[in-house]
Amino acid sequence: MQKLRVNLWMNGTGEEAGNFYADALPGSSMEVESRYPTEGLLDFQQPLAGQALTVAVYVRGQRITLVNAGPDFTPNPSISLMLNFDPADYEGSVDGARADLDATWAKLSAGGQVLMELGEYPYSPRYGWVQDKYNVSWQLILSGPEGDPRPFVMPSLLFGGAAQNRAAEAVAHYKEVFGAREGMFVTYPEPTGPAAAGSVMFSDFALDDDWVTAMDSGVEQDFSFTPGVSLEWPCDGQEELDRVWDAMSAVPEAEQCGWLADKFGVSWQIVPANLGELMSRPNAFEHMMGMKKLVIDEF
């Protein structure tokens, strides 16, 4: 069962983007999960009154959340979403997996920007990296991983810029906080661009049943992690929430409404597992806006 969720920051385009992804991604649907109230909003939120606040996109049973907000943040390729087209999910048909990959690529790339051309690479017979028209980055790969089966959607962390060569440190930190288990771990044998010898060429690890990939960038980049893409972790009760929050939060000025930034710059939302029920309480939105770390008893 999915626990870790990816949240994408949308600049007032939440419903529009939700419909786009429901059409572009195989086996997908969308629903507006919550809306902004029409009263009690801060000044900068007034243009969003009554509009979607969160839009849930379900991709083969996995959920991606679109956070409909303003122009404050924009997704960038430091966190992308890897789509794993495994022939095992197509009754063993490589042609079926490849055809689905190509159809998804055509839809995601419409109006977007290709970051790595769709084609054959040493690590996959069919791979491409694209940034769609909402600035969300996707890696599409034809694969058949050994060991534990990987899910269709995996968030992928690219450590570059201010976070260059910190992927191994981050994986170790997440393993300690969340009890993550490692999968693949491949290092650069020699310096490659800004990547030092021994830094991470590719790794993946699992938080419960949710797989994440992490790597150090092998090319210079002037961007790094922002709240444009965040990771959401639900906690069972205030005690777990307090523990995770204290272990993860490293930038006090980034703390707001359950959001934090860790020591690598990655944005997280550390929330109660029953947040949906809490948000249905009277004046819950106003109460949440006044919090940094979420306190269940204060909703």
Side-chain angles (χ1 to χ4, degrees), residues 35-43 45-46 48-51 283-287 289:
R35 292 188 177 274
Y36 284 93
T38 55
E39 299 178 351
L41 294 172
L42 300 176
D43 289 345
Q45 295 171 325
Q46 292 296 333
L48 297 169
Q51 291 190 28
N283 303 313
F285 184 82
E286 292 89 336
H287 294 161
M289 290 299 296

Side-chain angles (χ1 to χ4, degrees), residues 3-250:
K3 189 171 182 179
L4 180 72
R5 294 176 177 171
V6 177
N7 296 293
L8 307 176
W9 189 287
M10 296 286 119
N11 181 11
T13 58
E15 283 192 70
E16 175 188 315
N19 285 311
F20 173 77
Y21 294 133
D23 175 68
L25 303 173
S28 298
S29 63
M30 67 80 78
E31 65 174 330
V32 176
E33 184 181 55
S34 63
R35 292 188 177 274
Y36 284 93
T38 55
E39 299 178 351
L41 294 172
L42 300 176
D43 289 345
F44 72 91
Q45 295 171 325
Q46 292 296 333
L48 297 169
Q51 291 190 28
L53 171 58
T54 57
V55 176
V57 178
Y58 295 96
V59 188
R60 293 185 176 175
Q62 293 178 261
R63 172 182 164 144
I64 300 168
T65 303
L66 310 184
V67 180
N68 197 40
D72 307 74
F73 304 104
T74 302
N76 70 46
S78 61
I79 301 183
S80 59
L81 292 170
M82 181 172 285
L83 301 181
N84 174 41
F85 292 83
D86 187 341
D89 296 325
Y90 296 82
E91 299 182 342
S93 172
V94 173
D95 290 342
R98 184 184 181 113
D100 213 9
L101 186 158
D102 288 356
T104 304
W105 174 271
K107 291 182 177 180
L108 288 175
S109 60
Q113 177 185 357
V114 173
L115 303 180
M116 290 182 66
E117 293 288 347
L118 183 62
E120 183 175 352
Y121 292 87
Y123 44 84
S124 174
R126 196 69 169 167
Y127 171 86
W129 193 337
V130 64
Q131 185 169 312
D132 69 31
K133 62 183 179 180
Y134 300 103
N135 296 303
V136 178
S137 296
W138 305 83
Q139 298 182 62
L140 282 65
I141 187 167
L142 180 64
S143 64
E146 297 180 359
D148 290 348
R150 294 340 187 226
F152 181 62
V153 182
M154 297 182 289
S156 181
L157 310 181
L158 180 64
F159 289 77
Q164 182 70 50
N165 295 328
R166 300 191 71 186
E169 180 188 356
V171 171
H173 182 58
Y174 300 149
K175 183 177 181 179
E176 179 181 1
V177 175
F178 299 107
R181 65 184 189 277
E182 290 185 17
M184 295 179 62
F185 195 90
V186 181
T187 60
Y188 286 97
E190 57 187 31
T192 304
S199 63
V200 180
M201 180 182 294
F202 180 85
S203 70
D204 63 6
F205 57 94
L207 307 180
D208 278 17
D209 294 328
D210 303 306
W211 285 88
V212 182
T213 77
M215 64 200 79
D216 288 302
S217 180
V219 297
E220 294 286 352
Q221 61 188 50
D222 59 1
F223 59 86
S224 190
F225 305 112
T226 78
V229 183
S230 61
L231 302 178
E232 180 180 321
W233 186 257
C235 297
D236 293 323
Q238 192 68 47
E239 183 177 351
E240 182 188 356
L241 194 153
D242 291 345
R243 180 190 67 80
V244 174
W245 183 275
D246 292 344
M248 293 290 285
S249 184

